Amino acid sequence: MSNWEKVYQEWKSFSNLDAALKKELDAMKDDPKALEDAFYKELTFGTGGMRGVLGPGTNRMNIYTVRKAVNGLAKYLLDNVVNVKDRGVVIAYDSRYMSQEFAVETAKVLGAYDIKAYVFESLRPTPLLSFAVRYLATAAGVMITASHNPPEYNGFKVYNEDGGQMVPEEANQVITAIKEIENELMVPVLEREVLEEKQLLNWVGKDIDNAYLDQLIHISKLDQQAFEQNKDLQIVFTPLHGTAHDLVIRGLEQLHFENVEVVKEQAIPDPEFSTVESPNPEEHQAFTLAIELGKKNDADILLGTDPDADRLGVAVKDKNGGYTVLTGNQLGSLLVDYILSHTDPVTLNNGRMIKTIVTSELGQAIASSYGVETINTLTGFKYIGEKIRQFDATGETFVFGYEESYGYLISSFARDKDAVQAAVMACEMAHYWKQKGKTLLDVLDDLYKKHGYYQEGMTSLTLKGKEGSEKIATIMDEIRKNPMKEIGGLKVEKTEDYLSSEQLLVDTGATKVIELPKENVFKFLLDNNSWVCLRPSGTEPKIKCYYGVCGETRDGSEQILASLKDTMDQTINQIIG
């Protein structure tokens, strides 16, 4: 009997197994491949938490794997953070299946350690959870969400006492504590009634929403007169069946945006996300209903937030009466320019813009033109939050942070990407330029003409299950062992292996240490200011390949980009056969 089969038998014979999970397990009994995938490993707890398919098994999201993770978190907090029991942990959740149940399970495990839990009474966005950690001064925060994953997924994200996602140093200690627990079925819990009686479970209402909105109003860059004017920008908004509706609408009202239409079919929370193929504003199909309503209302701008409201997508009316969906890099570059052009130059002297290593270099070019230094981090907003925390000690000033995957942060009262802040600022920016007779597409063209025609792309290959994980590992191993000297006709000038923290100058063989945490990422720096970067996802069964180019013309940049993609597609296909 293999190891996974032993674990399966333990679950099958556990007398107190949750009834719904027992029923699912019984239905799988004649499918050894499905059983192996559910039990062959433990669900990975990464630097931000864990995410997986719902169902029975150690490789699935269920009350037992959640309890095991919380138990490890509780032990970590008690060993490393002061006044944990009194300060407690704040917990929020989104609209997915089992989200509220997992939030309560989190409180039940914390309660067994006499640690208070503050649980939101209804679903809330991720950025509000980040804000709540800071507002309530809790020892940590937990967000139950799988972000924009398909309906069968859920997840568990952990935030440190600063309101940022846990960084590797912290997460590794939590992982160590989790691994000390041999049997996830036996994690101690206190029942809800006992928690409430002992005041270890406290329900959180609208007070934190209002405190967040009090901070949100101050992100505006308009002068007082312009701020107080009613704005004629025509806005269409879809929360894609998620958590953003109330805060985005109230945030826009505070800035006197009166013409906001919500896509009614997508305004109601729905764990099936029944009107979209994927509840991801990065996917253009997510804007289908918003575009229909936009055309009907002659809207200037369309806003789409993912289910937990940490990502924002924007589409802008074009000259032909249709709508162009901006990439995350394009919207980020526009926001960099707008924010810095409306910030006191004295502040900019010590200002820092933060982006990730796979985010467009256009943002850095714009920031440099305002005299602002750019700091690059690894992929993941946790690293941007970590940098902001360091600024508290160094005296540097955070002016903006973003990543290509539609995540933006304007003000550091939250410490994770914030689609509510971004939605409000995107509308203010569109209104400002409309008053000048320009659309955001016009402004983007101006930025290209000034700084160069930066173009970016990303391809994603999904490889599910045990075999998929092995194929992803093979791709990364082969790229490292036999790095290419040329990609798409462009010479490789440098390689950067973030797992070994080594940058290699190809011509001379000279090496340099990369001063960033170790991560399974490999980047090629090419001539003509182009680059290619390979990165397995930390939360999904995917490997992603990112591209960036800068040409003298739009057509020239697009041709280089296409050539890079073709070469990498062929290379990856050859590796995995």
Side-chain angles (χ1 to χ4, degrees):
M1 184 181 292
S2 67
N3 190 58
W4 74 259
E5 288 173 310
K6 290 178 183 176
V7 179
Y8 161 59
Q9 291 298 334
E10 287 176 9
W11 276 58
K12 185 180 176 184
S13 60
F14 183 54
S15 58
N16 292 325
L17 191 70
D18 174 80
L21 292 175
K22 186 177 189 307
K23 186 176 180 181
E24 286 186 68
L25 207 56
D26 289 342
M28 296 164 60
K29 65 182 179 181
D30 297 322
D31 189 345
K33 191 169 183 180
L35 286 172
E36 181 181 12
D37 194 55
F39 286 96
Y40 85 94
K41 67 172 185 175
E42 294 184 358
L43 194 62
T44 303
F45 191 99
T47 52
M50 62 185 187
R51 192 182 300 182
V53 175
L54 292 161
T58 55
N59 190 31
R60 296 288 184 265
M61 283 290 296
N62 53 64
I63 62 171
Y64 302 109
T65 53
V66 167
R67 286 176 180 179
K68 185 172 183 176
V70 180
N71 198 77
L73 173 63
K75 289 187 173 183
Y76 162 79
L77 292 174
L78 291 168
D79 288 342
N80 294 277
V81 183
V82 298
N83 299 329
V84 172
K85 293 183 178 181
D86 290 334
R87 292 167 66 193
V89 176
V90 60
I91 305 160
Y93 54 92
D94 69 4
S95 55
R96 288 179 175 273
Y97 289 117
M98 296 297 294
S99 281
Q100 188 178 43
E101 289 88 341
F102 290 161
V104 173
E105 290 295 331
T106 301
K108 286 163 67 174
V109 176
L110 292 171
Y113 288 91
D114 285 329
I115 299 173
K116 287 182 183 175
Y118 298 90
V119 182
F120 279 94
E121 61 188 6
S122 58
L123 54 82
R124 291 295 194 283
T126 288
L128 190 72
L129 182 277
S130 172
F131 172 78
V133 172
R134 298 173 61 77
Y135 181 75
L136 295 172
T138 58
V142 169
M143 181 72 199
I144 306 296
T145 179
S147 189
H148 54 274
N149 279 75
E152 64 269 22
Y153 280 75
N154 211 327
F156 177 93
K157 289 202 292 192
V158 183
Y159 289 76
N160 60 30
E161 60 185 332
D162 192 53
Q165 288 189 49
M166 281 193 168
V167 293
E169 183 181 348
E170 298 165 323
N172 288 338
Q173 293 181 68
V174 175
I175 292 167
T176 298
I178 291 171
K179 288 180 178 177
E180 292 173 356
I181 305 152
E182 292 186 5
N183 190 345
E184 60 281 337
L185 300 174
M186 304 306 293
V187 172
V189 296
L190 287 185
E191 290 307 316
R192 179 170 166 174
E193 296 77 13
V194 178
L195 292 175
E196 290 177 335
E197 182 183 325
K198 292 187 170 186
Q199 296 184 320
L200 290 170
L201 175 54
N202 305 276
W203 296 97
V204 180
K206 296 284 188 183
D207 288 351
I208 293 178
D209 301 39
N210 295 332
Y212 173 93
L213 289 164
D214 287 343
Q215 294 290 324
L216 182 68
I217 200 168
H218 295 297
I219 73 170
S220 175
K221 298 295 181 181
L222 298 176
D223 61 39
Q224 194 63 31
Q225 183 179 357
F227 176 87
E228 292 177 354
Q229 287 176 346
N230 291 333
K231 298 166 181 67
D232 65 351
L233 192 75
Q234 302 292 319
I235 303 166
V236 164
F237 168 52
T238 172
L240 296 178
H241 302 294
T243 61
H245 180 277
D246 292 356
L247 285 182
V248 168
I249 295 300
R250 290 178 67 187
L252 291 171
E253 286 174 351
Q254 286 187 153
L255 269 69
H256 306 285
F257 286 100
E258 295 186 332
N259 303 313
V260 184
E261 286 285 335
V262 178
V263 179
K264 290 185 175 60
E265 301 94 323
Q266 296 172 333
I268 300 169
D270 173 13
E272 282 294 324
F273 311 112
S274 53
T275 65
V276 290
E277 293 175 24
S278 169
N280 184 358
E282 293 180 76
E283 306 287 346
H284 288 194
Q285 56 79 26
F287 277 94
T288 301
L289 293 180
I291 289 172
E292 288 178 11
L293 184 58
K295 288 179 177 178
K296 181 180 176 182
N297 292 1
D298 193 28
D300 298 299
I301 188 170
L302 316 178
L303 309 172
T305 53
D306 71 342
D308 67 321
D310 62 354
R311 298 171 194 255
L312 172 75
V314 166
V316 184
K317 185 168 63 175
D318 58 36
K319 290 182 173 64
N320 301 317
Y323 289 89
T324 298
V325 180
L326 299 175
T327 68
N329 282 311
Q330 289 171 336
L331 179 58
S333 297
L334 286 162
L335 287 167
V336 170
D337 181 67
Y338 177 74
I339 290 167
L340 299 189
S341 67
H342 287 79
T343 300
D344 185 342
V346 175
T347 301
L348 297 184
N349 288 337
N350 203 34
R352 302 289 183 266
M353 192 272 284
I354 313 174
K355 71 176 191 65
T356 71
I357 59 171
V358 296
T359 299
S360 173
E361 296 302 318
L362 177 56
Q364 180 162 343
I366 294 167
S368 295
S369 72
Y370 288 99
V372 171
E373 180 184 331
T374 296
I375 295 174
N376 284 288
T377 71
L378 292 173
T379 305
F381 228 87
K382 55 184 171 284
Y383 297 114
I384 294 177
E386 181 185 30
K387 281 294 177 187
I388 298 170
R389 187 177 193 176
Q390 291 170 7
F391 292 168
D392 294 339
T394 64
E396 295 163 280
T397 303
F398 171 73
V399 291
F400 184 62
Y402 77 115
E403 57 186 5
E404 46 71 42
S405 55
Y406 290 57
Y408 317 94
L409 183 64
I410 289 95
S411 176
S412 61
F413 62 82
R415 294 292 167 92
D416 200 1
K417 51 187 177 286
D418 188 339
V420 181
Q421 286 191 36
V424 170
M425 186 57 77
C427 289
E428 177 177 300
M429 175 173 65
H431 164 75
Y432 172 84
W433 286 115
K434 184 179 180 181
Q435 300 300 104
K436 304 283 186 184
K438 292 184 176 185
T439 68
L440 294 184
L441 297 176
D442 295 329
V443 181
L444 188 60
D445 281 338
D446 292 341
L447 292 174
Y448 286 142
K449 289 171 185 173
K450 181 177 180 180
H451 299 286
Y453 285 87
Y454 288 83
Q455 297 286 311
E456 297 77 33
M458 190 272 287
T459 52
S460 179
L461 178 63
T462 299
L463 296 165
K464 293 183 178 180
K466 184 179 179 182
E467 290 180 8
S469 297
E470 292 169 351
K471 286 182 178 180
I472 289 171
T474 299
I475 292 167
M476 295 303 294
D477 288 344
E478 186 62 27
I479 289 292
R480 284 192 169 90
K481 289 175 185 174
N482 300 294
M484 291 169 282
K485 306 296 184 187
E486 185 182 281
I487 304 176
L490 296 179
K491 180 183 175 184
V492 176
E493 294 183 341
K494 299 176 184 176
T495 62
E496 293 180 339
D497 187 346
Y498 290 85
L499 198 58
S500 63
S501 300
E502 183 178 87
Q503 183 191 82
L504 172 68
L505 190 60
V506 174
D507 281 349
T508 66
T511 61
K512 181 181 176 183
V513 175
I514 299 171
E515 300 289 349
L516 288 173
K518 291 181 183 296
E519 193 164 284
N520 189 14
V521 177
F522 198 91
K523 188 173 184 179
F524 296 92
L525 302 175
L526 315 172
D527 55 14
N528 287 1
N529 206 18
S530 299
W531 54 270
V532 173
C533 188
L534 276 161
R535 172 183 169 266
S537 172
T539 54
E540 302 170 84
K542 293 180 178 180
I543 183 167
K544 296 180 179 181
C545 193
Y546 303 83
Y547 314 88
V549 304
C550 179
E552 295 180 1
T553 65
R554 186 188 302 272
D555 288 345
S557 291
E558 289 175 352
Q559 288 173 15
I560 299 169
L561 193 64
S563 180
L564 294 179
K565 285 184 177 181
D566 287 345
T567 302
M568 291 306 299
D569 286 348
Q570 291 172 21
T571 300
I572 289 171
N573 286 332
Q574 286 173 0
I575 291 172
I576 62 175

